[in-house]
Amino acid sequence: MDSITQAALGAAVGGAVLGRRLGRKAVLIGAVLGTLPDLDVMIDYGDAVANVTEHRGFSHSLFVLTGLGTLLALLTSRLGAAREIPLGHWWLFYVLCLTTHPLLDALTTYGTQLLWPLDLPPVAYPIVFIIDPLYTLPLLVGIGVALATGNGRRGPAWGLALSTAYLVFAFGAKQLVEHRLEPMLAERGLVDAPRLVQPTPFNTLLWRVTVVDGDDHHELLVGVLDGDTRPLVETYRRGAELEAAALASERGARLDWFAGPFLRYETRELDGQETLVATDLRLGFPGFHPFAFTLATREGDDWRPVAVSEQPAAPSRGNREALARLAGRALAPEPALCTSDFVAAGWVQKAPEDC
């Protein structure tokens, strides 16, 4: 999630745990702890693929953060007036302020290495977009009340309860969407195909579904308020003919570990060289995928892995027309919204007549 949300979550957790004893201090310390795991963005690994795939790594590990929280609790409990607060309370304060950060991140699409250093793919069960005002606002109001009144517990506790209730609603919305998808996927023989169901930007009413079907992938938009309206299915190429060459490189294999099958491959002319580029289809929205990476350059009939991977310029993330149409589509299935309206025609394999 975004930094403001993570700081607000840490502040609310801090207030709920020790606000009665520490007042405003619990909220302020919690805010600092809540942002601490994201300091890993300051580390430059010297390579675009490494920078993206190492983020939410060691600094988001439940093992590391629990150990850090335990150490901070032991140190704090030995300081002057802090001895009046039991060690167990300090432990809950530090560990919860730190670990709720990666646990919330795991509810977004990007993926979080909760069990680092175990060599497991990042955990991602997306039920919220990386920025969701309806989740963040109750937390901000709660900590605002705490800072204004000096009562460090009541406001944060209420804010935390409301934001958690919103996550429960988001989980239910995803289950509803999954249920509506099953008959359509069964008709197409795609029940076991890799699929990703995630909320569209800034809401949990409209969900984007990506289904990988061999050399292609399908995109659907399914709304909680759609009723019996069947979603449109749009089919795109993945550039699968380049997949073997991409995965043969170390960075390509790393991206496959990070994003699974949800990658698109293409060649671009960059700096006068034919370059193999992989794009993460999970992140962003069709036509607005911000994460693409150079993997190899053409040398005769072969591909040579690049010495350092780079991120080519991404499409604009601020298309107001797309956001306005998404907002309208979230509230009603008509008029239909086609993702192919925003995607270059060369990628479109098949689109419904309504598109």
Side-chain angles (χ1 to χ4, degrees):
M1 296 289 282
D2 63 283
S3 297
I4 292 176
T5 299
Q6 292 291 11
L9 176 60
V13 170
V17 176
L18 280 185
R20 182 171 294 170
R21 301 293 294 270
L22 297 180
R24 295 185 181 93
K25 291 180 181 178
V27 172
L28 296 175
I29 296 171
V32 173
L33 293 170
T35 59
L36 195 61
D38 275 344
L39 292 181
D40 68 333
V41 298
M42 301 176 65
I43 302 174
D44 184 2
Y45 292 92
D47 181 271
V49 170
N51 285 341
V52 167
T53 61
E54 294 292 345
H55 178 47
R56 295 193 185 178
F58 74 91
S59 69
H60 286 60
S61 167
L62 295 180
F63 299 133
V64 172
L65 294 177
T66 299
L68 176 60
T70 301
L71 177 61
L72 290 173
L74 289 171
L75 293 175
T76 305
S77 65
R78 300 189 178 199
L79 299 176
R83 295 178 181 176
E84 299 176 3
I85 299 175
L87 174 61
H89 290 190
W90 280 118
W91 187 86
L92 282 176
F93 175 76
Y94 283 116
V95 171
L96 289 179
C97 286
L98 289 168
T99 59
T100 50
H101 178 126
L103 291 173
L104 179 61
D105 275 348
L107 300 181
T108 67
T109 305
Y110 192 97
T112 308
Q113 297 176 54
L114 294 178
L115 300 180
W116 185 97
L118 299 182
D119 188 20
L120 298 172
V123 176
Y125 186 77
I127 60 173
V128 283
F129 191 65
I130 55 171
I131 300 174
D132 192 322
L134 289 181
Y135 176 80
T136 309
L137 189 58
L139 298 174
L140 292 176
V141 171
I143 62 178
V145 169
L147 293 176
T149 64
N151 185 327
R153 185 174 185 273
R154 183 175 300 173
W158 274 104
L160 196 59
L162 291 173
S163 64
T164 302
Y166 180 72
L167 291 181
V168 173
F169 168 81
F171 176 81
K174 180 167 183 171
Q175 297 305 303
L176 174 64
V177 169
E178 293 269 15
H179 177 72
R180 289 179 177 172
L181 276 175
E182 290 300 329
M184 178 173 290
L185 296 178
E187 290 174 8
R188 294 171 174 263
L190 297 173
V191 171
D192 297 324
R195 70 176 182 259
L196 176 65
V197 179
Q198 60 176 311
T200 55
F202 314 126
N203 79 100
T204 52
L205 292 178
L206 182 63
W207 295 71
R208 174 192 167 206
V209 181
T210 307
V211 183
V212 174
D213 183 12
D215 294 348
D216 302 320
H217 71 95
H218 309 293
E219 292 282 351
L220 304 84
L221 293 175
V222 183
V224 173
L225 305 179
D226 284 1
D228 296 330
T229 302
R230 288 175 64 88
L232 301 176
V233 181
E234 299 172 87
T235 304
Y236 300 92
R237 296 189 305 107
R238 285 200 309 119
E241 67 277 4
L242 297 168
E243 187 168 28
L247 298 185
S249 68
E250 180 182 350
R251 293 175 182 83
R254 178 70 175 178
L255 280 179
D256 182 63
W257 170 85
F258 179 65
F262 301 100
L263 292 168
R264 184 183 72 191
Y265 306 97
E266 63 184 306
T267 59
R268 299 187 193 179
E269 192 74 17
L270 299 174
D271 298 325
Q273 286 187 303
E274 186 179 3
T275 305
L276 175 56
V277 176
T279 298
D280 191 334
L281 294 172
R282 304 170 306 152
L283 307 177
F285 189 77
F288 307 96
H289 297 301
F291 291 100
F293 308 91
T294 60
L295 298 179
T297 55
R298 174 76 78 176
E299 289 193 359
D301 294 331
D302 298 320
W303 289 102
R304 180 178 180 180
V306 295
V308 177
S309 177
E310 298 178 353
Q311 271 191 265
S316 170
R317 304 185 197 181
N319 188 300
R320 294 184 179 180
E321 177 194 356
L323 290 175
R325 293 181 62 186
L326 271 175
R329 175 63 183 82
L331 298 175
E334 300 293 342
L337 174 62
C338 301
T339 59
S340 54
D341 291 344
F342 311 106
V343 178
W347 289 109
V348 180
Q349 191 83 307
K350 184 179 180 181
E353 291 183 2
D354 291 345
C355 294

